[in-house]
Amino acid sequence: MRTMAASTEAFSNTAVPQHISNDHDRFPVIEIFGPTIQGEGADAGRPAHFVRFGGCDFRCSWCDSMYAVEPAQVRTAERLDVDDVLSTLGALPTGPNLVVLTGGNPALHELGSLVDALHVAGYEVAVETQGSVWRDWLGLVDFVVVSPKPPSSGMTRNTEDVNEFLARAAAASKPNVTLKVVIFDANDLEWAVAQFEGMPRLRTTLSAGTDVGFPEAETLARLRERYAWLCESVARRVELRTARVLPQLHVVAWGIARGV
Ligand code: SF4
């Protein structure tokens, strides 16, 4: 099994939350579920299992996973080790060979041994992070989705920090890096266009944001309207001619239900 010298770097305006344990052998796991499909990013539509870790250094206004962010819930989450995660995944119905590590922000945790164990077990591994904390294990996974947050989140970071993280991920030996930006409005779209200037050439997806707190029918109607607007807007932008425009496919299929 590979070993790695662990280095962690939080970019300028972030810090690892105090409620995250320093126990590197056990991680707060909110849920493990599947089989389902990856709903976002370059692998949208691909069958996958998910492991959702608790804890996040952000608090986005439209977060749809607050149960993995709120400190009170993270503190009481089950602490699982690598074997626990593997055995739980192994008990799920078979199908996918892709495991998505998500959160919260999974990069708050030292997951190198888990990534190694998943590879040994025959899985490909994807991770989704907002790109605020670098960990060396991010260089070992098969697919890294970096999702910096636009202005509507209330958690926007400066362009230099985002680009530094993207360049670091792109330079790491293994990852297939995708930039994913969730777009809620025209201001977010202009931010994304500005963000693309000077950044490493990466596959990019623009994801129509999902409003939370509405009945399902209204959620879907809003998503459809926003997706149509985003398609029409992106199709007219020279700067975005290589971007892919997607809704959150899991929302289209199942609404905002948890565990799908
Ligand atoms: S970074 Fe993701 S998990 Fe964290 S608060 Fe924002 S949307 Fe929620």
Side-chain angles (χ1 to χ4, degrees), residues 81-96:
D81 64 15
V82 170
D83 290 340
D84 295 331
V85 174
L86 264 289
S87 64
T88 305
L89 285 168
L92 295 175
T94 55

Side-chain angles (χ1 to χ4, degrees), residues 56 58-60 62-66 69 103-105 130 149:
C56 191
F58 282 17
R59 186 175 283 262
C60 301
W62 34 251
C63 179
D64 62 0
S65 308
M66 267 299 169
V69 175
N105 182 4
Q130 68 265 48
K149 303 307 176 193

Side-chain angles (χ1 to χ4, degrees), residues 4 8 37 40 64-65 85 117 132 140 156 164 175 198 200 241:
M4 47 194 282
T8 311
I37 53 132
E40 303 178 79
D64 62 0
S65 308
V85 174
S132 57
L140 301 179
T156 307
E164 186 181 341
R241 58 174 45 144

